[in-house]
Amino acid sequence: MTAEWLNPLRDAGDRRLPRIAGPSGLVIFGVTGDLSRKKLMPAVYDLANRGLLPPGFSLVGFARRDWEDEDFAQIVHDAVRDHARTEFREEVWQQLAEGMRFIPGDFGDDEAFERLRKAVEELDGSRGTGGNFAFYLSVPPKMFPKVVKQLKKHGLASPPEGSWRRAVIEKPFGHDLTSARELNAVLHDVFDPEQVFRIDHYLGKETVQNILALRFANQMYEPIWNRSYVDHVQITMAEDIGIGGRAGYYDGIGSARDVIQNHLLQLLALTAMEEPAAFDAGSLLTEKLKALRAVRLPEDLGPHSVRGQYAAGWQGGEQVVGYLEEDGIDPSSTTDTYAAVKLGIDNRRWAGVPFYLRTGKRLGRRVTEIAVVLQRAPHSPFDSTATEELGQNAIVIRVQPDEGMTVRFGSKVPGTSMEIRDVTMDFAYGESFTESSPEAYERLILDVLLGDANLFPRHQEVEESWKILDPIEEYWAGHGRPAQYASGSWGPEEADEMLARDGRSWRRP
Ligand code: BG6
């Protein structure tokens, strides 16, 4: 092995860094894409800069470009300069850059895959990668089968004795249950289930991992985390952005397939599941699956689900166009940019407690949160006017952007009368911790290299989630156009009516 440990941040005595990847390399297919430039390349650099990658770590790009290794290294360099979280250190960069290789080629090109195989062997020799490689498929899903088959054909999918090979795939994991099953069949024909890492970047977020810490490392929440105390749960993922330049991906997919099938149902599973027997991938899968399998759709989706599409409006002081006027969108498109649905969970803990999920683009502001709203106190000894303004107690996990948690409860207003009003108690990551959170992709790439599958949905969860979403999509497809909502608003009126029918209202985070 030629490279030596640099580990600048680790040497600085940082005690948070016990998990360091062993000898390994990462091959990225689709390396010219946005995700690769904005997330993957910077994450690799940040990991190296934090001392979490081995000194001989190697990065191989594969794409249809006429580049040399140096051109690729320059692209990575620019991406790191623009998007990395940690400061730029020349010596870290140099060490990383020495392990960069570029393979020009098409996914159907056998010679290119032979060159890839040789590059991997060469890196094992020159950088000490030990035969351990992860293949990151940052490519459109329709390309998955082709790439995966080529990996098999060229002997890249099976690890040499004593080493590992892993495949990393990005959503969408199909567009319904049938296609998800087909995709899984293709993957599992080449890789064992343990070799496949599906990225749901929400699981890489600190605040999402904290749901489990909050619930299972404390004594105060679990006793009330059930139908005896909880009135309902609201899971919101609101974005202020529109679809940007992603018309090709988004149209025909829509908000529910884009984020409910994966991110929101994962948040639901983590919020609703039972305590796992251990904090390992198998135990987490068992409990998440049980929760997802217990999800029940309303008998009539009509009054309990809404899909919407943003119309023109004002956002951040600027006038923005509606979805149908966006570049690349079919003006008669019925794709949803907003979706809300009421789900039940049929088990002893949650029977009768609705879980309301909603997501949308071009909403009032960017916020993701899980609000566990408690029932009202069964009785108040105070004059009813004293408690008039009192809302229900709530525990709100603020996933982003203002990471932390809020507990809402009633408190006496200072003064001579017994007036009670809502107050909040806040925990903010930025105030309680000096440690900075790694970006979700940093955490997830490191976990892939470590072979730690805790934060990766398994194919059973993916299929279970499609079983929940497919009937909803089917219902919508047969019931007219999505409701319109003004950009910058909080979604269609129909969504407010949906909750009002249940005597509840959406939070305005
Ligand atoms: C992605 C969706 O999975 O998540 C995008 O495809 C969405 O449409 C994005 O914008 C949001 O991610 P984050 O981390 O900014 O909440």
Side-chain angles (χ1 to χ4, degrees):
M1 195 188 303
T2 54
E4 296 292 324
W5 279 103
L6 281 174
N7 272 1
L9 298 188
R10 202 164 64 121
D11 291 345
D14 193 326
R15 63 186 168 74
R16 287 172 300 132
L17 308 170
R19 301 166 81 242
I20 300 170
S24 53
L26 180 69
V27 178
I28 305 180
F29 293 97
V31 78
T32 52
D34 238 30
L35 178 79
S36 173
R37 262 185 334 103
K38 291 191 180 148
K39 299 287 184 187
L40 308 184
M41 294 170 178
V44 166
Y45 171 80
D46 285 329
L47 285 171
N49 204 15
R50 293 184 203 269
L52 299 180
L53 295 184
F57 183 82
S58 302
L59 181 66
V60 182
F62 187 115
R64 221 167 27 186
R65 286 286 199 291
D66 198 10
W67 288 345
E68 301 289 338
D69 292 344
E70 299 73 46
D71 303 317
F72 173 55
Q74 186 59 44
I75 299 285
V76 183
H77 180 272
D78 295 348
V80 167
R81 283 287 193 175
D82 290 348
H83 302 289
R85 287 209 169 183
T86 58
E87 72 180 281
F88 191 82
R89 294 169 195 247
E90 193 54 39
E91 71 275 23
V92 174
W93 168 254
Q94 281 306 332
Q95 193 176 64
L96 199 57
E98 280 163 23
M100 288 185 194
R101 305 286 183 272
F102 184 73
I103 310 295
D106 194 271
F107 297 145
D109 179 355
D110 283 325
E111 280 177 24
F113 276 82
E114 271 309 295
R115 287 198 296 275
L116 175 61
R117 194 180 55 74
K118 288 197 183 116
V120 162
E121 282 170 13
E122 179 265 310
L123 288 166
D124 284 344
S126 66
R127 304 274 297 173
T129 38
N132 303 316
F133 276 86
F135 300 99
Y136 201 121
L137 275 64
S138 182
V139 299
K142 63 175 188 297
M143 299 305 218
F144 288 171
K146 203 168 201 175
V147 178
V148 164
K149 282 177 190 155
Q150 285 284 45
L151 288 172
K152 181 179 181 180
K153 183 170 171 192
H154 295 275
L156 285 153
S158 4
E161 186 73 27
S163 60
W164 52 258
R165 294 289 156 94
R166 294 177 187 137
V168 187
I169 61 166
E170 278 282 341
K171 70 176 195 47
F173 311 122
H175 62 269
D176 58 12
L177 180 60
T178 311
S179 53
R181 282 185 170 150
E182 283 164 11
L183 175 62
N184 278 328
V186 170
L187 283 167
H188 293 159
D189 184 42
V190 175
F191 293 101
D192 291 336
E194 298 70 40
Q195 287 180 283
V196 181
F197 288 70
R198 292 170 186 78
I199 299 259
D200 182 320
H201 78 284
Y202 264 60
L203 297 182
K205 293 181 192 272
E206 283 290 330
T207 36
V208 172
Q209 293 161 45
N210 196 36
I211 299 170
L212 296 183
L214 179 82
R215 293 189 54 200
F216 303 126
N218 294 298
Q219 179 71 333
M220 59 200 264
Y221 302 108
E222 270 314 282
I224 56 169
W225 211 259
N226 56 54
R227 68 187 305 273
S228 304
Y229 295 91
V230 176
D231 176 72
H232 71 281
V233 177
Q234 292 188 19
I235 303 182
T236 299
M237 176 186 168
E239 294 186 280
D240 50 3
I241 52 169
I243 53 151
R246 298 167 79 218
Y249 159 75
Y250 201 86
D251 204 35
I253 297 259
S255 59
R257 287 194 176 97
D258 185 34
V259 301
I260 291 187
Q261 185 272 336
N262 37 75
H263 309 327
L264 266 65
L265 285 175
Q266 283 290 325
L267 295 182
L268 173 142
L270 294 172
T271 306
M273 70 188 226
E274 296 302 317
E275 181 173 328
F279 190 59
D280 59 40
S283 309
L284 287 165
L285 171 67
T286 304
E287 297 308 334
K288 281 199 279 173
L289 258 186
K290 266 163 58 189
L292 290 170
R293 284 190 180 139
V295 167
R296 183 184 38 78
L297 296 178
E299 263 167 40
D300 182 2
L301 277 161
H304 302 300
S305 74
V306 171
R307 64 173 182 157
Q309 205 175 55
Y310 61 80
W314 287 85
Q315 211 162 32
E318 275 180 34
Q319 198 160 17
V320 292
V321 298
Y323 181 71
L324 298 178
E325 288 95 54
E326 295 274 17
D327 282 347
I329 298 297
D330 172 358
S332 63
S333 170
T334 55
T335 298
D336 49 289
T337 62
Y338 177 100
V341 63
K342 173 182 177 178
L343 300 175
I345 300 184
D346 273 350
N347 59 26
R348 180 170 285 256
R349 187 193 279 262
W350 294 116
V353 178
F355 279 63
Y356 299 103
L357 273 48
R358 68 174 159 163
T359 184
K361 300 234 181 245
R362 287 252 183 263
L363 295 182
R365 78 183 187 93
R366 174 174 184 253
V367 59
T368 299
E369 63 163 44
I370 300 162
V372 177
V373 182
L374 301 186
Q375 296 163 9
R376 290 183 186 280
H379 160 76
S380 166
F382 311 114
D383 178 348
S384 63
T385 52
T387 50
E388 217 167 55
E389 287 188 41
L390 211 53
Q392 286 160 281
N393 295 164
I395 300 165
V396 183
I397 299 166
R398 302 194 311 264
V399 174
Q400 63 186 28
D402 182 17
E403 287 96 348
M405 199 178 102
T406 302
V407 177
R408 184 179 68 191
F409 55 97
S411 180
K412 180 182 174 308
V413 180
T416 51
S417 64
M418 195 62 186
E419 187 191 345
I420 298 173
R421 215 181 283 160
D422 280 331
V423 293
T424 56
M425 208 158 62
D426 273 344
F427 147 61
Y429 271 77
E431 284 169 19
S432 298
F433 297 115
T434 51
E435 293 90 339
S436 69
S437 310
E439 220 276 327
Y441 277 93
E442 263 182 75
R443 171 67 200 261
L444 296 175
I445 290 174
L446 178 64
D447 283 0
V448 169
L449 300 176
L450 289 166
D452 181 343
N454 285 5
L455 301 180
F456 297 83
R458 282 277 155 91
H459 76 95
Q460 297 97 317
E461 291 165 75
V462 171
E463 291 185 9
E464 222 41 65
S465 305
W466 282 119
K467 282 187 205 163
I468 298 168
L469 195 60
D470 278 359
I472 303 175
E473 291 284 356
E474 206 173 298
Y475 175 87
W476 286 341
H479 286 82
R481 300 187 57 81
Q484 297 287 300
Y485 62 98
S487 289
S489 72
W490 275 98
E493 279 168 20
E494 287 81 344
D496 292 335
E497 290 160 12
M498 169 180 142
L499 255 69
R501 243 173 255 128
D502 289 355
R504 302 187 174 100
S505 55
W506 291 110
R507 287 170 44 81
R508 288 279 178 267

